Amino acid sequence: MILSRIQSEPGISRAELARMCGFSEMAATRIVRELLTANIIEESNAKGKAAKKHIGRPKTGLRIRKDGLFAVGITVSAYHSEVSICDADGRLCASDRLENVSLDSVSEAAQFYAKALRDLIVSSGVNVDLIVGVGVALSAITAPERGEIVASEYFGWANDQGQFCREIQQIIHLPVEIENISNALAIAEMRFGAARDVADFTLIHVATFVGAGIVSGHRLVRGDTNVSGRLGHFRSDERPLICTCGRRDCLNLSAAGFGILSRMGQLDHLTFDTSKLTFYADSLLAALEDETAADLVAEAGAQLAPALDCIGNLLRPTMIVLSGYLGANKDYYRSVKTTLATQFDHNPKTSFRLVRGTISSVEAAALLALHSLCYSDRLDYDRFARVAEQSQGETYG
């Protein structure tokens, strides 16, 4: 709790920490001393600002030591499969885009990503002993508490019984946190991005398909059996295409990339094909750079607006964040915003604010690990305290 508060309010004092966290000043001081000794935080001028000349002892603030801890991530995607490293303040330190990733086998894919991540850690020079863990973000229903991929319509994977995470742990030897890409992005935006300090918001991730991450009271809403945010299966206009669920009237077909590619005449099939993931991704990215496709992108955005109106009335979020390669596209975003205003009388002063996401899927995986394994009660403080102690012994011994 204290570490999370210091991260969210750099420059906070010990007295402020004690008051906000409900501790005595003595208890807060003891915890802070331990975090300082472990090189996880450092002292600074109050609120991180340069000290001003004044009489008396200057107020000492606290902030996260950026190079004190690190987190690493794996983004499993047909768009840009990447491995990444971020520092304790959430800044991207290093990343590597992976080519020709085979997603046919869960085991082989996990090993490929893990070896690429291991190579990135070595080449970056980051001390592996300072890494809190690995975040994995992908388009799938996940059970993070069991480290399982429950199912993925997108990749065509069934329940992996935790195999993906086990394969990574066998190579990296660090804790692994796995999460649906929409939820991972929601967590990242909540702690580091557009929804920072927003208690209630919904993140909409739009690329080939549509998904959502719902946050209420600063917590993800997971639903029964971890299945929530399946916005792509909201009913919409009927299309000649067939969704992964077998229907022709899902939002996945009218408001996302699969439908845009069909209307552009780039598909020779009606049913989503998991063997063509790279083709869908490459084609959509090219379409977003093609000015002649702007009208189709805008039309897809207009199709999403009714679903957002429903979310606004049902959940009453403070904010809705549009994310993803398509969702954050300027033409798509503008169309959603305009349609909400003209057809649903949307007013951000009395309803939710619509914003574009600031966190990429590449960053989300490492930030997921940082949030879950550093800024939570799952931080393995003893491990990092030992590392700091050994480092001091090497320095002074």
Side-chain angles (χ1 to χ4, degrees), residues 93-289:
C93 300
S95 65
D96 188 18
R97 182 173 297 182
L98 310 181
E99 304 292 342
N100 303 315
V101 183
S102 174
L103 299 171
D104 296 331
S105 163
V106 170
S107 176
E108 291 178 4
Q111 291 177 31
F112 182 89
Y113 282 106
K115 290 174 182 176
L117 180 57
R118 181 183 60 191
D119 293 343
L120 179 65
I121 294 171
V122 172
S123 64
S124 72
V126 169
N127 183 353
V128 70
D129 291 332
L130 297 179
I131 297 175
V132 296
V134 185
V136 178
L138 74 170
S139 180
I141 299 170
T142 62
E145 73 281 1
R146 300 194 302 273
E148 289 183 6
I149 296 172
V150 177
S152 174
E153 297 174 341
Y154 185 73
F155 296 118
W157 294 346
N159 193 313
D160 78 333
Q161 302 295 320
Q163 184 178 20
F164 196 98
C165 289
R166 285 196 301 273
E167 295 284 359
I168 294 171
Q169 284 180 311
Q170 288 175 8
I171 294 172
I172 303 296
H173 307 296
L174 289 169
V176 179
E177 183 77 2
I178 192 166
E179 187 62 88
N180 169 273
I181 182 62
S182 298
N183 286 344
L185 282 162
I187 288 170
E189 293 285 5
M190 176 176 62
R191 180 168 286 280
F192 300 100
R196 186 165 182 162
D197 300 325
V198 177
D200 299 276
F201 71 95
T202 300
L203 179 136
I204 313 297
H205 177 254
V206 193
T208 305
F209 282 163
V210 186
I214 303 165
V215 173
S216 178
H218 297 290
R219 289 180 174 273
L220 279 172
V221 177
R222 296 189 178 278
D224 188 32
T225 65
N226 289 298
V227 179
S228 66
R230 290 167 62 81
L231 187 65
H233 296 293
F234 273 32
R235 301 297 175 242
S236 184
D237 295 341
E238 188 165 309
R239 302 286 183 179
L241 302 171
I242 302 173
C243 184
T244 54
C245 68
R247 297 184 64 96
R248 296 178 180 270
D249 59 354
C250 287
L251 205 58
N252 277 332
L253 308 179
S254 59
F258 189 58
I260 291 174
L261 295 179
S262 174
R263 298 191 66 187
M264 291 180 69
Q266 296 196 23
L267 302 183
D268 59 3
H269 52 286
L270 299 178
T271 304
F272 183 78
D273 185 345
T274 57
S275 70
K276 298 182 181 295
L277 297 181
T278 301
F279 168 75
Y280 297 147
D282 291 345
S283 299
L284 180 59
L285 291 175
L288 295 178
E289 296 293 328

Side-chain angles (χ1 to χ4, degrees), residues 318-386:
T318 302
M319 176 186 292
I320 292 182
V321 182
L322 282 187
S323 183
Y325 290 103
L326 181 55
N329 172 269
K330 65 179 186 342
D331 294 318
Y332 189 93
Y333 171 80
R334 186 185 302 117
S335 178
V336 174
K337 190 173 184 178
T338 300
T339 305
L340 282 170
T342 58
Q343 297 186 21
F344 298 95
D345 298 321
H346 176 256
N347 183 346
K349 293 182 179 179
T350 57
S351 183
F352 61 85
R353 287 183 291 131
L354 184 69
V355 303
R356 294 164 71 182
T358 59
I359 305 292
S360 71
S361 57
V362 175
E363 298 169 295
L367 295 180
L368 167 67
L370 200 59
H371 172 83
S372 303
L373 300 169
C374 179
Y375 298 118
S376 74
D377 57 8
R378 295 169 62 188
L379 174 69
D380 188 353
Y381 166 80
D382 291 340
R383 174 161 76 95
F384 300 113
R386 287 194 298 271

Side-chain angles (χ1 to χ4, degrees), residues 6 9-13 16 44-49 59-63:
I6 294 171
E9 297 187 39
I12 192 171
S13 70
E16 290 168 332
S44 69
N45 297 322
K47 301 303 178 187
K49 298 179 181 179
K59 183 179 177 183
T60 301
L62 302 164
R63 65 187 179 193

